[in-house]
Amino acid sequence: MPLFLFFHSVHVFLSSLRPLELNILGNPRPSRLPHGHEVGVVGHGPMKTSRALRADTLTSAVHVWKFTMAAVKPVLYSYYRSSCAWRVRIALALKGIDYEYVPVHLVKDGGQQHKEDYKTMNPMAQVPTLLIDGLTLTQSIAIIEYLDETRPSPPLLPSDPKDKVKVRMIAETIASGIQPLQNLAVLLQLDEDKRPAWGNRCIDTGFQAVEAMLSQTAEKYSYGNSLTVADLCLVPQVYNANRFKVDMSKFPTISRVHDELAKLEAFKKAHPSQQPDCPDDQK
Ligand SMILES: N[C@@H](CCC(=O)N[C@@H](CS)C(=O)NCC(=O)O)C(=O)O
């Protein structure tokens, strides 16, 4: 049998199995992926979901490989400038976890996060959602802690409970005390002209607390000289601060740590400008 015919047969066989495999893994079947979403296979450039399920005989070998990997590869539902999805992207990059990127446009069509299909995975209608190890995970901090427990290198939380609680205090100040107040769903409750000042005030107030905390704990990074979940929260929040024109000169420790973190490869890879759904004018 010619080689391409062999690969094609294997591909057809695997394609027919794929819904079953995904189901066994507890992931949604392809038909339940939000329709028409772009699937950016990290490192392979963007491609259409529907196109991903087709193959021509000449490229069967590549497709067999991609389909096989897709069945086991984690899938991240993300939006390029979502600070919460960005935290998870940094964790995935630091831990060297390869994944498929599925953009969920938070604004287009009234917000794709509100589609019923998507809400079966994430009932809060938010990003991120991570499909991994047969689980459908939501809530960025819970996801990061799961990744840290199942893939401990490099650790993102210190082992000593007295250090760990301090790191969580910083992370929670951002994840629970700042970001939810300036989240899209909250901003949409305000008249459009009031939104910039509101976002600015929420972040400014929260950053006063974070600055006070970091002035006690930061060395190279937010907590000493090791990367922690606090750093994963800090960098995306500074991006939001800049969007809302917060005067960052008031926060020298945050700014110094941010600039240090921004030099790291994993943080660069996770940056909004590097995501497949980033508009060209923001790259
Ligand atoms: N606590 C959640 C918050 C997630 C969240 O607020 N995501 C934002 C983007 S950063 C979102 O999806 N917003 C959509 C909306 O407000 O409609 C987490 O950490 O994952």
Side-chain angles (χ1 to χ4, degrees), residues 82-84 87 106 113-114 125-128 139-140 179 183-185:
S82 152
S83 59
C84 304
R87 296 170 196 154
L106 297 186
Q113 70 277 26
H114 298 296
Q126 295 173 331
V127 290
Q139 299 299 327
S140 59
Q179 183 274 333
N183 184 32
L184 177 65

PDB file of all heavy atoms in Angstrom, residues 82-84 87 106 113-114 125-128 139-140 179 183-185, ligand 1:
ATOM      1  N   SER A  82      -7.335  39.254  27.867  1.00  0.00           N
ATOM      2  CA  SER A  82      -7.912  38.896  29.164  1.00  0.00           C
ATOM      3  C   SER A  82      -6.777  38.689  30.165  1.00  0.00           C
ATOM      4  O   SER A  82      -5.895  37.848  29.960  1.00  0.00           O
ATOM      5  CB  SER A  82      -8.707  37.594  29.040  1.00  0.00           C
ATOM      6  OG  SER A  82      -8.711  36.916  30.286  1.00  0.00           O
ATOM      7  N   SER A  83      -6.824  39.454  31.253  1.00  0.00           N
ATOM      8  CA  SER A  83      -5.732  39.322  32.230  1.00  0.00           C
ATOM      9  C   SER A  83      -5.788  37.967  32.933  1.00  0.00           C
ATOM     10  O   SER A  83      -4.753  37.414  33.309  1.00  0.00           O
ATOM     11  CB  SER A  83      -5.771  40.473  33.237  1.00  0.00           C
ATOM     12  OG  SER A  83      -6.997  40.502  33.930  1.00  0.00           O
ATOM     13  N   CYS A  84      -6.996  37.409  33.074  1.00  0.00           N
ATOM     14  CA  CYS A  84      -7.116  36.121  33.778  1.00  0.00           C
ATOM     15  C   CYS A  84      -6.592  34.978  32.907  1.00  0.00           C
ATOM     16  O   CYS A  84      -5.897  34.080  33.392  1.00  0.00           O
ATOM     17  CB  CYS A  84      -8.561  35.868  34.168  1.00  0.00           C
ATOM     18  SG  CYS A  84      -9.249  37.210  35.153  1.00  0.00           S
ATOM     19  N   ARG A  87      -2.798  35.053  32.890  1.00  0.00           N
ATOM     20  CA  ARG A  87      -2.138  34.386  34.039  1.00  0.00           C
ATOM     21  C   ARG A  87      -1.901  32.911  33.729  1.00  0.00           C
ATOM     22  O   ARG A  87      -0.834  32.369  33.985  1.00  0.00           O
ATOM     23  CB  ARG A  87      -3.045  34.447  35.284  1.00  0.00           C
ATOM     24  CG  ARG A  87      -3.316  35.805  35.814  1.00  0.00           C
ATOM     25  CD  ARG A  87      -4.421  35.725  36.885  1.00  0.00           C
ATOM     26  NE  ARG A  87      -4.974  37.031  37.160  1.00  0.00           N
ATOM     27  CZ  ARG A  87      -6.205  37.234  37.630  1.00  0.00           C
ATOM     28  NH1 ARG A  87      -7.005  36.224  37.918  1.00  0.00           N
ATOM     29  NH2 ARG A  87      -6.624  38.462  37.855  1.00  0.00           N
ATOM     30  N   LEU A 106     -14.556  38.447  23.548  1.00  0.00           N
ATOM     31  CA  LEU A 106     -15.409  38.904  24.656  1.00  0.00           C
ATOM     32  C   LEU A 106     -16.356  40.038  24.266  1.00  0.00           C
ATOM     33  O   LEU A 106     -17.261  40.378  25.038  1.00  0.00           O
ATOM     34  CB  LEU A 106     -14.541  39.349  25.838  1.00  0.00           C
ATOM     35  CG  LEU A 106     -13.669  38.273  26.493  1.00  0.00           C
ATOM     36  CD1 LEU A 106     -12.977  38.829  27.732  1.00  0.00           C
ATOM     37  CD2 LEU A 106     -14.469  37.029  26.855  1.00  0.00           C
ATOM     38  N   GLN A 113     -18.504  34.627  24.994  1.00  0.00           N
ATOM     39  CA  GLN A 113     -18.522  33.906  26.277  1.00  0.00           C
ATOM     40  C   GLN A 113     -19.941  33.622  26.752  1.00  0.00           C
ATOM     41  O   GLN A 113     -20.157  32.805  27.639  1.00  0.00           O
ATOM     42  CB  GLN A 113     -17.727  34.690  27.349  1.00  0.00           C
ATOM     43  CG  GLN A 113     -18.340  35.975  27.851  1.00  0.00           C
ATOM     44  CD  GLN A 113     -18.065  37.169  26.944  1.00  0.00           C
ATOM     45  OE1 GLN A 113     -17.847  37.025  25.754  1.00  0.00           O
ATOM     46  NE2 GLN A 113     -18.071  38.361  27.508  1.00  0.00           N
ATOM     47  N   HIS A 114     -20.924  34.333  26.155  1.00  0.00           N
ATOM     48  CA  HIS A 114     -22.319  34.141  26.581  1.00  0.00           C
ATOM     49  C   HIS A 114     -23.045  33.060  25.781  1.00  0.00           C
ATOM     50  O   HIS A 114     -24.199  32.771  26.043  1.00  0.00           O
ATOM     51  CB  HIS A 114     -23.080  35.474  26.472  1.00  0.00           C
ATOM     52  CG  HIS A 114     -22.506  36.535  27.360  1.00  0.00           C
ATOM     53  ND1 HIS A 114     -22.511  36.435  28.727  1.00  0.00           N
ATOM     54  CD2 HIS A 114     -21.855  37.704  27.076  1.00  0.00           C
ATOM     55  CE1 HIS A 114     -21.914  37.502  29.254  1.00  0.00           C
ATOM     56  NE2 HIS A 114     -21.504  38.280  28.267  1.00  0.00           N
ATOM     57  N   ALA A 125     -19.492  32.353  32.288  1.00  0.00           N
ATOM     58  CA  ALA A 125     -19.334  33.047  31.008  1.00  0.00           C
ATOM     59  C   ALA A 125     -18.112  33.963  31.013  1.00  0.00           C
ATOM     60  O   ALA A 125     -18.201  35.159  30.731  1.00  0.00           O
ATOM     61  CB  ALA A 125     -20.605  33.834  30.660  1.00  0.00           C
ATOM     62  N   GLN A 126     -16.994  33.362  31.362  1.00  0.00           N
ATOM     63  CA  GLN A 126     -15.742  34.114  31.400  1.00  0.00           C
ATOM     64  C   GLN A 126     -14.620  33.265  30.799  1.00  0.00           C
ATOM     65  O   GLN A 126     -14.744  32.044  30.715  1.00  0.00           O
ATOM     66  CB  GLN A 126     -15.369  34.446  32.863  1.00  0.00           C
ATOM     67  CG  GLN A 126     -16.341  35.390  33.552  1.00  0.00           C
ATOM     68  CD  GLN A 126     -16.043  35.561  35.026  1.00  0.00           C
ATOM     69  OE1 GLN A 126     -15.514  34.658  35.675  1.00  0.00           O
ATOM     70  NE2 GLN A 126     -16.384  36.715  35.568  1.00  0.00           N
ATOM     71  N   VAL A 127     -13.539  33.898  30.437  1.00  0.00           N
ATOM     72  CA  VAL A 127     -12.309  33.165  30.145  1.00  0.00           C
ATOM     73  C   VAL A 127     -11.373  33.390  31.338  1.00  0.00           C
ATOM     74  O   VAL A 127     -11.493  34.425  32.004  1.00  0.00           O
ATOM     75  CB  VAL A 127     -11.638  33.648  28.828  1.00  0.00           C
ATOM     76  CG1 VAL A 127     -12.448  33.241  27.640  1.00  0.00           C
ATOM     77  CG2 VAL A 127     -11.347  35.139  28.825  1.00  0.00           C
ATOM     78  N   PRO A 128     -10.492  32.445  31.604  1.00  0.00           N
ATOM     79  CA  PRO A 128     -10.159  31.258  30.820  1.00  0.00           C
ATOM     80  C   PRO A 128     -10.983  30.033  31.203  1.00  0.00           C
ATOM     81  O   PRO A 128     -11.548  29.961  32.286  1.00  0.00           O
ATOM     82  CB  PRO A 128      -8.697  31.020  31.228  1.00  0.00           C
ATOM     83  CG  PRO A 128      -8.652  31.413  32.677  1.00  0.00           C
ATOM     84  CD  PRO A 128      -9.584  32.598  32.778  1.00  0.00           C
ATOM     85  N   GLN A 139     -11.603  29.335  36.458  1.00  0.00           N
ATOM     86  CA  GLN A 139     -11.027  30.117  37.560  1.00  0.00           C
ATOM     87  C   GLN A 139      -9.489  30.038  37.522  1.00  0.00           C
ATOM     88  O   GLN A 139      -8.880  29.030  37.894  1.00  0.00           O
ATOM     89  CB  GLN A 139     -11.558  29.702  38.936  1.00  0.00           C
ATOM     90  CG  GLN A 139     -13.062  29.882  39.084  1.00  0.00           C
ATOM     91  CD  GLN A 139     -13.493  31.350  38.903  1.00  0.00           C
ATOM     92  OE1 GLN A 139     -12.761  32.268  39.264  1.00  0.00           O
ATOM     93  NE2 GLN A 139     -14.659  31.567  38.336  1.00  0.00           N
ATOM     94  N   SER A 140      -8.896  31.135  37.078  1.00  0.00           N
ATOM     95  CA  SER A 140      -7.459  31.125  36.786  1.00  0.00           C
ATOM     96  C   SER A 140      -6.589  30.679  37.967  1.00  0.00           C
ATOM     97  O   SER A 140      -5.639  29.921  37.777  1.00  0.00           O
ATOM     98  CB  SER A 140      -7.019  32.505  36.299  1.00  0.00           C
ATOM     99  OG  SER A 140      -7.287  33.492  37.271  1.00  0.00           O
ATOM    100  N   GLN A 179      -9.136  42.993  39.843  1.00  0.00           N
ATOM    101  CA  GLN A 179      -9.638  42.622  38.500  1.00  0.00           C
ATOM    102  C   GLN A 179     -11.165  42.514  38.420  1.00  0.00           C
ATOM    103  O   GLN A 179     -11.760  43.036  37.461  1.00  0.00           O
ATOM    104  CB  GLN A 179      -8.945  41.326  38.030  1.00  0.00           C
ATOM    105  CG  GLN A 179      -9.332  40.882  36.632  1.00  0.00           C
ATOM    106  CD  GLN A 179     -10.598  40.030  36.617  1.00  0.00           C
ATOM    107  OE1 GLN A 179     -10.913  39.360  37.605  1.00  0.00           O
ATOM    108  NE2 GLN A 179     -11.331  40.085  35.510  1.00  0.00           N
ATOM    109  N   ASN A 183     -13.641  44.420  35.603  1.00  0.00           N
ATOM    110  CA  ASN A 183     -13.961  43.456  34.557  1.00  0.00           C
ATOM    111  C   ASN A 183     -15.038  44.012  33.614  1.00  0.00           C
ATOM    112  O   ASN A 183     -15.860  44.850  34.000  1.00  0.00           O
ATOM    113  CB  ASN A 183     -14.434  42.149  35.206  1.00  0.00           C
ATOM    114  CG  ASN A 183     -14.691  41.065  34.179  1.00  0.00           C
ATOM    115  OD1 ASN A 183     -14.028  41.006  33.141  1.00  0.00           O
ATOM    116  ND2 ASN A 183     -15.667  40.210  34.452  1.00  0.00           N
ATOM    117  N   LEU A 184     -15.031  43.497  32.403  1.00  0.00           N
ATOM    118  CA  LEU A 184     -15.956  43.964  31.365  1.00  0.00           C
ATOM    119  C   LEU A 184     -17.412  43.999  31.830  1.00  0.00           C
ATOM    120  O   LEU A 184     -18.116  44.991  31.633  1.00  0.00           O
ATOM    121  CB  LEU A 184     -15.800  43.049  30.137  1.00  0.00           C
ATOM    122  CG  LEU A 184     -16.718  43.323  28.961  1.00  0.00           C
ATOM    123  CD1 LEU A 184     -16.422  44.694  28.345  1.00  0.00           C
ATOM    124  CD2 LEU A 184     -16.559  42.230  27.900  1.00  0.00           C
ATOM    125  N   ALA A 185     -17.854  42.902  32.477  1.00  0.00           N
ATOM    126  CA  ALA A 185     -19.265  42.817  32.871  1.00  0.00           C
ATOM    127  C   ALA A 185     -19.638  43.963  33.811  1.00  0.00           C
ATOM    128  O   ALA A 185     -20.769  44.467  33.765  1.00  0.00           O
ATOM    129  CB  ALA A 185     -19.545  41.471  33.533  1.00  0.00           C
TER     130      ALA A 185
HETATM  131  N1  LIG B   1     -12.203  34.762  38.685  1.00  0.00           N
HETATM  132  C1  LIG B   1     -12.142  34.498  37.277  1.00  0.00           C
HETATM  133  C2  LIG B   1     -12.405  35.776  36.546  1.00  0.00           C
HETATM  134  C3  LIG B   1     -12.435  35.570  35.051  1.00  0.00           C
HETATM  135  C4  LIG B   1     -12.764  36.858  34.318  1.00  0.00           C
HETATM  136  O1  LIG B   1     -13.215  37.844  34.923  1.00  0.00           O
HETATM  137  N2  LIG B   1     -12.504  36.858  33.020  1.00  0.00           N
HETATM  138  C5  LIG B   1     -12.795  38.032  32.245  1.00  0.00           C
HETATM  139  C6  LIG B   1     -11.622  38.378  31.358  1.00  0.00           C
HETATM  140  S1  LIG B   1     -10.198  38.748  32.331  1.00  0.00           S
HETATM  141  C7  LIG B   1     -13.982  37.742  31.360  1.00  0.00           C
HETATM  142  O2  LIG B   1     -14.097  36.672  30.798  1.00  0.00           O
HETATM  143  N3  LIG B   1     -14.882  38.715  31.233  1.00  0.00           N
HETATM  144  C8  LIG B   1     -16.039  38.569  30.384  1.00  0.00           C
HETATM  145  C9  LIG B   1     -17.201  39.390  30.846  1.00  0.00           C
HETATM  146  O3  LIG B   1     -17.087  40.124  31.818  1.00  0.00           O
HETATM  147  O4  LIG B   1     -18.249  39.288  30.195  1.00  0.00           O
HETATM  148  C10 LIG B   1     -10.768  33.908  36.938  1.00  0.00           C
HETATM  149  O5  LIG B   1      -9.801  34.242  37.618  1.00  0.00           O
HETATM  150  O6  LIG B   1     -10.655  33.103  35.999  1.00  0.00           O
END
